[in-house]
């Protein structure tokens, strides 16, 4: 067989295959399937197109933890009593330099703490407070820091406060309490610095660690009195059982505790509010199983609308966020719980009853005593 004959046979075979494929595509069933696939493609494209165009990067990213967004990262380390450590400069809610490597003009260097500053006018001479209880080991001149204070908190935990004023409230050997004022941020360039700021450093067994694993900026206005402290769940269950409360359940209390932690709000306060508004939800109430899902009456009521669709944790988070919002701009000397219902609060008020805070305060005090 010649090469020409072979070529002709190959061409004929290809033509037969194409004809068979054309015949297959001409089948009404195949045509119908193709039309359906094309329609489905365009439906999916039209559905996702607005989302892909208008969604931002954050909304396209899944929240792996499945938790509510917050204005800060929850610290991974808590004080011995289960509460957050104290932010060392409550009047400043700004970090000018973070933990880790940085370049301040002399090349990259490891920054072993965080710098807290908000411009000279709002930084110089601002008070500095102890992160936790401990013993002062250094209070004075330190190379690089100008003036500094070191506090040993025991168990290998040490904090350093650098670039301070020479005016100090403590001296080496003094015992200090959590949240106790120890000194002031220095004015101008104190030590090796580019301007006034507090260098705050946390060490564990001599190794610098990220201070943000221990403290949280107070930019939500939550006062220390209402800040998160962990529930002693077994003790709280006994407290609630004495009141025949449907809230006396480990799973329920864990959800309330987690909600409080996510917003830096004391879960004891959230429970105190249920005591004032729902009498701690007595088990004898015919709707107890429904009420415990929203005993704060967020969205108006536990009984109808969106308020009836929430889980306990979802309702608790909303209640906690409300407390955060209402706690802002509290005048000095005002009771932090009374401020939540004060009529001169520019952010609104939690309850229509102006005496609400008295009952909440009573239950809060009782829960803290647990």
């Amino acid at each position: 067989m010649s090469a020409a004959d072979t070529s002709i046979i190959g061409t004929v075979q290809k033509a037969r295959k194409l004809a068979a494929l054309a015949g297959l595509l001409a089948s009404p069933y195949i045509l119908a399937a193709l039309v359906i696939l094309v329609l489905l493609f365009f439906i999916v494209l039209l559905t996702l197109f607005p989302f892909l165009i208008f969604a931002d990067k954050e909304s396209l990213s899944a929240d792996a933890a499945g938790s509510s967004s917050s204005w800060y990262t929850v610290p991974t380390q808590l004080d011995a009593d289960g509460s957050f450590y104290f932010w060392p400069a409550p009047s400043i809610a700004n970090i000018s330099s973070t933990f880790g490597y940085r370049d301040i003009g002399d090349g990259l260097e490891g920054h072993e703490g965080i710098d807290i500053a908000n411009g000279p006018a709002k930084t110089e001479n601002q008070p500095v407070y102890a992160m936790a209880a401990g013993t002062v080991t250094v209070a004075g001149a330190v190379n690089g820091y100008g003036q500094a204070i070191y506090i040993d908190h025991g168990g290998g935990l040490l904090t350093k406060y650098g670039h301070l004023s020479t005016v100090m409230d403590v001296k080496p050997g003094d015992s200090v309490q959590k949240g106790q004022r120890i000194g002031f941020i220095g004015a101008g360039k104190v030590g090796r610095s580019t301007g006034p700021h507090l260098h705050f450093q946390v060490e564990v067994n001599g190794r610098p660690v990220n201070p943000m694993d221990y403290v949280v900026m107070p930019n939500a206005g939550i006062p220390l009195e209402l800040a998160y402290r962990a529930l002693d769940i077994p003790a709280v269950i006994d407290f609630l059982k004495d009141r025949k409360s449907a809230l006396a359940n480990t799973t329920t209390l864990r959800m309330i505790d987690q909600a409080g932690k996510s917003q830096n709000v004391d879960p004891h306060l959230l429970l105190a509010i249920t005591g004032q508004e729902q009498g701690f939800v007595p088990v004898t109430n015919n709707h107890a199983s429904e009420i415990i899902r929203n005993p704060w009456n967020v969205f108006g009521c536990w009984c109808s609308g969106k308020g009836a669709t929430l889980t306990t944790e979802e309702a608790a988070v909303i209640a906690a966020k409300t407390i955060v919002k209402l706690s802002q701009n509290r005048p000095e000397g005002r009771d932090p719980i009374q401020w939540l219902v004060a009529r001169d609060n520019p952010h609104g008020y939690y309850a229509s009853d102006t005496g609400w805070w008295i009952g909440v305060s009573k239950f809060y005090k009782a829960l803290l005593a647990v």
Side-chain angles (χ1 to χ4, degrees), residues 276 337-344 349-359:
Q276 173 65 18
I337 298 179
Q338 189 275 332
W339 181 241
L340 300 178
V341 289
R343 292 303 180 264
D344 58 335
Y349 46 87
Y350 194 99
S352 57
D353 179 10
T354 55
W356 171 92
W357 74 279
I358 299 173

Side-chain angles (χ1 to χ4, degrees), residues 354-366:
T354 55
W356 171 92
W357 74 279
I358 299 173
V360 172
S361 297
K362 179 187 70 174
F363 289 128
Y364 188 40
K365 183 177 180 180

Side-chain angles (χ1 to χ4, degrees), residues 33-368:
L34 288 174
V35 170
I36 291 172
L37 287 174
V38 170
L39 287 174
L40 286 173
F41 172 78
F42 279 106
I43 289 172
V44 171
L45 183 62
L46 290 173
T47 301
L48 295 178
F49 185 75
F51 175 76
L52 294 173
I53 291 296
F54 298 110
D56 56 25
K57 181 179 179 180
E58 287 73 20
S59 64
L60 288 170
S61 301
D63 183 354
S67 60
S68 302
S69 61
S70 186
W71 45 266
Y72 68 91
T73 300
V74 176
T76 57
Q77 303 296 325
L78 299 177
D79 204 346
D81 62 359
S83 65
F84 285 137
Y85 288 104
F86 197 87
W87 178 256
S91 62
I92 305 174
N94 186 66
I95 297 174
S96 58
S97 184
T98 57
F99 175 80
Y101 285 97
R102 65 177 183 174
D103 186 352
I104 59 173
D106 299 324
L108 286 177
E109 67 171 12
H111 190 212
E112 298 182 339
I114 59 173
D115 291 344
I116 302 171
N118 190 24
K122 296 181 179 179
T123 302
E124 293 180 341
N125 300 312
Q126 292 301 302
V128 177
Y129 298 81
M131 182 189 84
T135 302
V136 176
T137 58
V138 173
V142 175
N143 186 35
Y145 290 145
Q147 299 291 322
I149 294 173
Y150 296 180
I151 301 177
D152 183 353
H153 305 287
L157 183 64
L158 177 78
T159 51
K160 297 180 177 180
Y161 311 78
H163 308 296
L164 302 179
S165 165
T166 55
V167 178
M168 298 182 180
D169 295 321
V170 296
K171 62 184 183 301
D174 284 354
S175 294
V176 296
Q177 299 302 310
K178 176 180 179 178
Q180 178 179 329
R181 195 182 73 186
I182 56 176
F184 302 86
I185 299 174
K189 296 181 180 180
V190 178
R192 181 174 178 264
S193 71
T194 57
H197 68 277
L198 170 66
H199 173 85
F200 175 58
Q201 185 168 325
V202 179
E203 295 183 358
V204 176
N205 296 323
R207 180 176 61 87
V209 295
N210 191 346
M212 297 311 292
D213 289 338
Y214 289 78
V215 293
V216 56
M217 282 193 299
N219 59 332
I222 284 291
L224 180 63
E225 303 98 305
L226 305 184
Y228 174 80
R229 66 193 86 189
L231 291 178
D232 181 343
I233 290 180
V236 173
I237 285 179
D238 289 341
F239 174 90
L240 293 172
K241 281 183 176 179
D242 287 343
R243 288 154 180 79
K244 298 180 173 55
S245 168
L247 295 166
N249 175 278
T250 299
T251 301
T252 298
L253 292 177
R254 281 178 179 167
M255 287 192 287
I256 295 173
D257 184 82
Q258 181 58 36
K261 184 177 182 181
S262 74
Q263 305 303 314
N264 189 21
V265 170
D266 193 345
H268 297 86
L269 177 60
L270 293 173
L271 281 171
I273 292 173
T274 72
Q276 173 65 18
E277 299 195 352
Q278 302 290 351
F280 292 112
V281 193
V283 292
T284 53
N285 190 306
N286 292 333
H287 299 283
S289 61
E290 301 165 74
I291 298 173
I292 62 171
R293 296 177 59 185
N294 183 8
W296 301 277
N297 286 325
V298 299
F299 293 116
C301 181
W302 58 267
C303 54
S304 62
K306 192 171 182 178
T309 66
L310 303 171
T311 65
T312 304
E313 185 169 353
E314 289 170 339
V317 166
I318 295 169
K321 285 184 175 181
T322 302
I323 292 169
V324 169
K325 174 185 174 183
L326 295 176
S327 292
Q328 297 180 58
N329 307 116
R330 179 171 61 95
E332 187 175 353
R334 293 288 287 274
D335 184 284
I337 298 179
Q338 189 275 332
W339 181 241
L340 300 178
V341 289
R343 292 303 180 264
D344 58 335
N345 188 324
H347 303 287
Y349 46 87
Y350 194 99
S352 57
D353 179 10
T354 55
W356 171 92
W357 74 279
I358 299 173
V360 172
S361 297
K362 179 187 70 174
F363 289 128
Y364 188 40
K365 183 177 180 180
L367 281 159
L368 291 179

